[in-house]
Amino acid sequence: ILDRRKDQLSDDYSKSFYIPEASVIFQQPGLSGWGARYVLEGNVPDMMQLREVLDDRDPMFVRAGNSLLKHELNHIAVVNYRRYSGGFTGNWWEFSTIAHLTDNKIIPKTEFFAVDSNIEPYGYMMPAGSSLCSFTNVGGYRSLRVSVDDNLSLPDINGSCKIGIDYNRIRSPYYFNSLDIIDADRMSLKASVLSDIISHTHIEVDWNGSYNVGRYRSGADPTRLYSSNLSVKVNVNNIGKKGFFQARYLNMRNRNLVQHTRITDSMFNVYAGYRLKKNFEISLTAYDIFASQSSHSQTATENYTRLTFNENYGRYFSFNLKKTFNRVRSSRDAEGFNYGQFFKNIDK
């Protein structure tokens, strides 16, 4: 089909869209206070979504555009409140809620053919077991997100702590042979701690966990996935004046509560070295020291759970020599930037 339609692929194609846009913003003056924002914006379909040319390079998964697509129209309303204490270096917390409604949302439209079928207007015979993926406009997409974030200074450890909780509810149309509606809920919690309590040492600990649920109005099997991620980073400088050490540990856990499967992935990396001169460095890299990195992972969307397989190199070590051959000098190095002299040079 592609070969017989090369003339159509190379022909000029144009379509005009007239999209209204508007925004209204309110913000109380000062560091603390209420804020609100409303945005009306549109998204136009791209050319591949508009052009009705069959792509049958994979005869079991044929793609086509839809020239009748309309532009999306998004209504976004935001209300937030932020409270500071102690100025820029003090504690703060913030509450935010975001409502999102989309008219004429563009979604994939997949049709499965159990037997050989002729599709019009293309005059193309779809083999049994194949799928045709196109696009269509639907209404009814909306989402509501509520989040609370808190930042605390921790002078006892010369650091800070951030805590956040987030809830997101999504109503998303989905088309596979017929239109269906998915109600998805996502609850997430995150926390991080930063500290410089040890001289020349910076420590970061980040953790986040989420629980995702997707339910189909048609009664199809739901999706339920729990995931968590832990990251620990340690940076040490000025070891023997010119030495440095960097280490990072990652741990990721995924649990599919419908299929009763679990995936655990962890990795420990080290990068250490010594700066012999300002522009010369010798270092050692150790990647995945415990050879524990997994080759697959799970992620959840509104309407499915994706299982991804990745190629990884396993554990390896490398010895590195680094030399910097150029260095840009400027008036900023010693006295700061001289704006008066800069503009005088421009006038000349």
Side-chain angles (χ1 to χ4, degrees), residues 25-65:
I25 300 174
F26 164 79
Q27 183 65 55
Q28 280 187 309
L31 296 176
S32 302
W34 288 92
R37 182 172 76 253
Y38 170 76
V39 177
L40 173 66
E41 61 183 13
N43 294 324
V44 300
D46 60 39
M47 296 304 297
M48 296 304 296
Q49 292 173 331
L50 286 170
R51 303 198 67 170
E52 295 195 25
V53 177
L54 282 181
D55 180 352
D56 64 343
R57 285 172 290 186
D58 183 351
M60 301 305 293
F61 193 78
V62 180
R63 299 175 181 271

Side-chain angles (χ1 to χ4, degrees), residues 195-219:
S195 174
D196 297 324
I197 189 172
I198 304 174
S199 178
H200 307 298
T201 302
H202 179 73
I203 302 173
E204 294 184 23
V205 180
D206 295 278
W207 177 87
N208 66 77
S210 64
Y211 178 66
N212 301 270
V213 181
R215 295 175 297 274
Y216 294 83
R217 297 283 181 90
S218 62

Side-chain angles (χ1 to χ4, degrees), residues 146-335:
V146 180
S147 61
V148 178
D149 296 283
D150 194 7
N151 185 86
L152 302 172
S153 60
L154 302 175
D156 292 340
I157 63 171
N158 193 24
S160 63
C161 173
K162 294 181 180 180
I163 302 174
I165 187 170
D166 185 283
Y167 172 74
N168 196 4
R169 178 67 184 269
I170 299 175
R171 182 184 186 273
S172 179
Y174 172 72
Y175 197 109
F176 185 84
N177 286 339
S178 62
L179 185 63
D180 199 354
I181 300 294
I182 303 167
D183 295 311
D185 294 274
R186 175 185 173 89
M187 175 70 75
S188 62
L189 180 66
K190 59 184 178 182
S192 65
V193 177
L194 287 72
S195 174
D196 297 324
I197 189 172
I198 304 174
S199 178
H200 307 298
T201 302
H202 179 73
I203 302 173
E204 294 184 23
V205 180
D206 295 278
W207 177 87
N208 66 77
S210 64
Y211 178 66
N212 301 270
V213 181
R215 295 175 297 274
Y216 294 83
R217 297 283 181 90
S218 62
D221 292 339
T223 60
R224 289 190 297 155
L225 184 68
Y226 168 77
S227 62
S228 66
N229 299 276
L230 173 67
S231 170
V232 180
K233 293 190 289 186
V234 178
N235 294 340
V236 185
N237 292 310
N238 296 329
I239 302 175
K241 294 186 177 181
K242 296 184 179 181
F244 61 90
F245 174 85
Q246 300 176 12
R248 186 179 186 185
Y249 173 74
L250 295 172
N251 182 276
M252 293 158 281
R253 298 174 181 268
N254 291 274
R255 183 179 179 184
N256 191 316
L257 302 177
V258 175
Q259 301 176 357
H260 305 288
T261 58
R262 295 185 182 185
I263 296 177
T264 301
D265 192 3
S266 61
M267 184 167 53
F268 181 58
N269 302 333
V270 169
Y271 175 56
Y274 194 82
R275 297 180 180 92
L276 300 177
K277 295 181 179 180
K278 289 184 178 180
N279 59 351
F280 188 79
E281 174 183 299
I282 182 172
S283 62
L284 175 69
T285 301
Y287 183 84
D288 194 13
I289 293 177
F290 301 131
S292 55
Q293 184 184 15
S294 174
S295 61
H296 49 280
S297 61
Q298 293 185 102
T299 55
T301 65
E302 294 97 11
N303 56 359
Y304 63 88
T305 299
R306 178 188 290 119
L307 182 61
T308 305
F309 291 86
N310 303 305
E311 182 179 358
N312 61 64
Y313 298 99
R315 176 173 52 201
Y316 70 85
F317 301 88
S318 66
F319 178 74
N320 317 297
L321 295 174
K322 177 182 175 182
K323 180 175 175 59
T324 304
F325 292 97
N326 59 339
R327 183 172 184 265
V328 178
R329 292 183 176 272
S330 70
S331 57
R332 302 183 190 188
D333 290 346
E335 302 176 347

